[in-house]
Amino acid sequence: MNENKPGDSQNLACVFCRKNDDCPNKYGEKKTKEKWNLTVHYYCLLMSSGIWQRGKEEEGVYGFLIEDIRKEVNRASKLKCCVCKKNGASIGCVAPRCKRSYHFPCGLQRECIFQFTGNFASFCWNHRPVQIITSNNYRESLPCTICLEFIEPIPSYNILRSPCCKNAWFHRDCLQVQAINAGVFFFRCTICSNSDIFQKEMLRMGIHIPEKDASWELEENAYQELLQHHERCDVRRCRCKEGRDYNAPDSKWEIKRCQCCGSSGTHLACSSLRSWEQNWECLECRGIIYNSGEFQKAKKHVLPNSNNVGITDCLLEESSPKLPRQSPGSQSKDLLRQGSKFRRNVSTLLIELGFQIKKKTKRLYINKANIWTSALDAFRNRNFNPSYAIEVAYVIENDNFGSEHPGSKQEFLSLLMQHLENSSLFEGSLSKNLSLNSQALKENLYYEAGKMLAISLVHGGPSPGFFSKTLFNCLVYGPENTQPILDDVSDFDVAQIIIRINTATTIADLKSVINECYNYLELIGCLRLITTLSDKYMLVKDILVYHVIQRVQAPFESFKQGLKTLGVLEKIQAYPEAFCSILCHKPESLSAKILSDLFTVHTLPDVKALGFWNSYLQAVEDGKSTTTMEDILIFATGCSSIPPAGFKPTPSIECLHVDFPVGNKCNNCLAIPVTNTYKEFQENMDFTIRNTLKLEKEESSHYIGH
């Protein structure tokens, strides 16, 4: 091996291929671990036949343990490469009876195919997969739809065709570069934008699609301009004596932005606006609205203590400073278009994350009597992959027959989120922060909790809804940029100390409180010299930061790593406003209209039964039933609220000739009874739903919260 010196890292050779090339597009990232005197190419490591990832992502090298890497290097040292004839060939062809072994760069040279998915199979040049085209109607060259250079439309190692568009052809190298830059969320067919079929075929043909966000999304401060609010009065006659940049909230000198483009502003007084809620458009946006025929000419306003000034005198004088000067119409259209482009809702973001989920299914065996332990065992299993589709089977503890029953994935995730909310990993009543549980920290449960939350969001489960704003801000902006508040303190004694310090009215009272709490303040490192009464505010701030943030630093870092599963944390940090609505707030209350719109009619309806169904929903909403809207949804789907990513499959109603309703949580299907009268319909619905849920609660009451 090479001696690792920081300045010589580029000259260090990979322990597998013995090359010192640093070319991420060809060989993957080159990683040097000075502590272990180890340098390796990511692809050389990933494709080696005798090694697998046994550690977490942050352990060893990409989760491959150092001792495993050394064993694999030792194994490969006895194998000769069939291309360069040198030892160290760690990769073998997976075709039965094929004995070829080779280094990764040698395999590329001989046009082997490496599949960066599933079991990370490798195929030699004689056994590699090929694209079969039944007929070729292309007599002339066609352009590569990425680089636009002309190529012969004949499938080969270096020329690939899109599986979804017959006239889309690519250079292999062009595809690989695009995949590296776009990542799994944005890599798709350049013609039809299909991602599912396209990515599956490209993976089969050896294109590596990294599980990361696109390079342009990861660029630091790439969209910083979009996060900056325009705070300047741009009207022709600004009346503010403090200047155009002066902004005083809750006064007539508060700056109001254009409701259309947001890139122009006015003081409320400068445009005779009586309140913040009153609509205001800049001159350019008003011109667009006027030309579209939706504008009603505004009446002229009179500014107080001024001569009569027409409304045109109060409008924008010059072009927005954010864009080069354009015609009013084109500029406004561009601004409006940009606004809609970057306005993202959380459902869309979670659906994008869901593109990572493969069709390969992993069955989880869950014991509802101990859902936490069985979920931990399932997620910690070495064969579990968060990107595999989840299938749930319920098992019964101590069942000698080993029977299992199909379960609802969404019900399982819902029960798991309920357990997490009430677990000892969090503290607080409604808005929760992380607690300090040394045993949980030792067992790495904070990491598992973050991982479970991420999996629930991406796989269509419910959102937590119990994060405090402080915990959320720590995740998004960092603990160093977050200031806790008193509501974050769940410890009664600590809260009392803070209140007593904060309400001290004299220095003598303040010092008296500090003397009484001297041992505690010394223990947490918050003792400070008190010279004025205002020093109490800094002392309170220090106590809050210690108790809410510094005290749980280790659990927070572990929890944060778990949330990185499937790229969830990165999405939260990129779109905090969207995710705050589901992480810090409970879902909106269900109504008759919401449930009526949610359930679709699956079979030929019985008109009377469907009429009874709609009447029943209204009765439940009006409190004339013993059940609730949430009870109905749980009975049919296993969830008490609509998941942020929506239900899969969509909840449906069936009208069957049954006396009592039947809920199929696996298919989100509700079979409603067919009765002669509405009274009988309501009684049967109430009886069945109430007793079914009561029985389920009795069976599970001993494990929720334990």
Side-chain angles (χ1 to χ4, degrees), residues 407-411 595 598-600 613 617 628-641 647-654 661-672 685 688-689 692-693 696:
S408 161
K409 175 186 70 174
Q410 286 166 322
E411 180 188 37
L595 280 194
L598 180 66
F599 284 87
T600 58
W613 162 249
L617 289 179
T628 65
M629 294 293 177
E630 287 72 21
D631 291 340
I632 298 173
L633 195 60
I634 294 172
F635 181 76
T637 68
C639 292
S640 60
S641 61
F647 282 107
K648 287 186 180 180
T650 303
S652 60
I653 292 289
E654 289 185 351
V662 178
N664 187 339
K665 297 177 183 178
C666 294
N667 295 324
N668 299 327
C669 182
L670 174 62
I672 58 177
M685 291 288 289
T688 305
I689 294 175
T692 300
L693 297 186
E696 290 178 351

Side-chain angles (χ1 to χ4, degrees), residues 21 116 224 238 261 269 288 391 403 407 459 469 573 576 585 621:
D21 304 55
F116 294 88
Q224 189 64 33
C238 177
C261 69
I288 292 294
E391 184 180 283
S403 59
H459 283 263
K469 284 292 181 64
Q573 292 172 337
H585 303 282
E621 183 175 2

Side-chain angles (χ1 to χ4, degrees), residues 44-61:
C44 293
L45 176 61
L46 200 61
M47 301 308 303
S48 292
S49 303
I51 190 172
W52 59 94
Q53 188 181 29
R54 295 197 303 127
K56 297 184 178 63
E57 196 67 28
E58 64 273 12
E59 293 184 82
V61 183

Side-chain angles (χ1 to χ4, degrees), residues 248-519:
D250 300 322
S251 75
K252 65 181 181 180
W253 301 119
E254 181 174 7
I255 291 193
K256 165 84 172 175
R257 289 181 292 277
C258 172
Q259 67 169 344
C260 296
C261 69
S263 294
S264 302
T266 177
H267 290 115
L268 299 182
C270 295
S271 292
S272 297
L273 301 177
R274 295 182 179 179
S275 70
W276 173 262
E277 288 78 16
Q278 193 172 346
N279 293 336
W280 180 79
E281 301 91 14
C282 65
L283 177 62
E284 291 159 354
C285 292
R286 184 174 287 258
I288 292 294
I289 299 171
Y290 182 86
N291 291 333
S292 68
E294 299 175 2
F295 176 76
Q296 301 245 344
K297 190 172 182 180
K299 297 179 181 179
K300 294 186 177 182
H301 298 277
V302 178
L303 291 174
N305 302 323
S306 69
N307 297 325
N308 289 350
V309 181
I311 193 168
T312 52
D313 292 326
C314 298
L315 297 176
L316 187 64
E317 180 181 33
E318 54 191 23
S319 296
S320 166
K322 291 193 175 185
L323 292 174
R325 194 172 185 90
Q326 303 171 353
S327 65
S330 63
Q331 181 183 349
S332 299
K333 288 180 180 178
D334 287 344
L335 289 170
L336 295 172
R337 192 179 298 116
Q338 286 186 13
S340 63
K341 178 180 179 182
F342 294 103
R343 195 178 299 121
R344 311 293 300 279
N345 63 59
V346 72
S347 298
T348 304
L349 295 170
L350 291 177
I351 290 171
E352 285 180 2
L353 288 173
F355 292 156
Q356 302 171 81
I357 300 176
K358 302 176 175 62
K359 291 184 178 180
K360 185 171 182 178
T361 302
K362 174 64 179 176
R363 173 170 288 193
L364 306 184
Y365 295 94
I366 302 299
N367 178 7
K368 289 180 80 172
N370 197 344
I371 200 162
W372 172 252
T373 302
S374 54
L376 267 181
D377 292 341
F379 289 156
R380 284 176 167 175
N381 188 293
R382 59 178 294 179
N383 294 322
F384 176 76
N385 187 328
S387 62
Y388 289 168
I390 292 176
E391 184 180 283
V392 173
Y394 289 134
V395 296
I396 302 175
E397 194 173 12
N398 301 323
D399 184 357
N400 297 326
F401 298 100
S403 59
E404 58 186 63
H405 311 281
S408 161
K409 175 186 70 174
Q410 286 166 322
E411 180 188 37
F412 158 62
L413 292 174
S414 182
L415 292 173
L416 189 57
M417 290 303 102
Q418 290 178 42
H419 177 94
L420 269 181
E421 182 174 1
N422 296 287
S423 73
S424 60
L425 300 177
F426 296 91
E427 60 185 20
S429 52
L430 297 177
S431 297
K432 296 178 180 288
N433 289 292
L434 291 172
S435 65
L436 181 59
N437 186 322
S438 57
Q439 185 61 32
L441 191 60
K442 183 178 179 180
E443 296 176 9
N444 206 26
L445 296 185
Y446 289 99
Y447 170 84
E448 297 297 339
K451 179 179 175 182
M452 290 173 181
L453 286 169
I455 289 173
S456 177
L457 289 174
V458 178
H459 283 263
S463 58
F466 59 82
F467 282 21
S468 71
K469 284 292 181 64
T470 298
L471 174 56
F472 181 79
N473 289 338
C474 285
L475 291 169
V476 174
Y477 308 110
E480 67 280 3
N481 298 316
T482 302
Q483 178 56 50
I485 59 176
L486 183 60
D487 289 344
D488 293 319
V489 179
S490 58
D491 187 304
F492 178 80
D493 294 331
V494 176
Q496 287 301 306
I497 292 174
I498 294 173
I499 292 172
R500 290 181 62 193
I501 293 174
N502 210 28
T503 55
T505 55
T506 65
I507 293 183
D509 290 342
L510 180 59
K511 289 184 176 180
S512 175
V513 175
I514 292 174
N515 287 334
E516 290 181 30
C517 308
Y518 184 89
N519 291 336

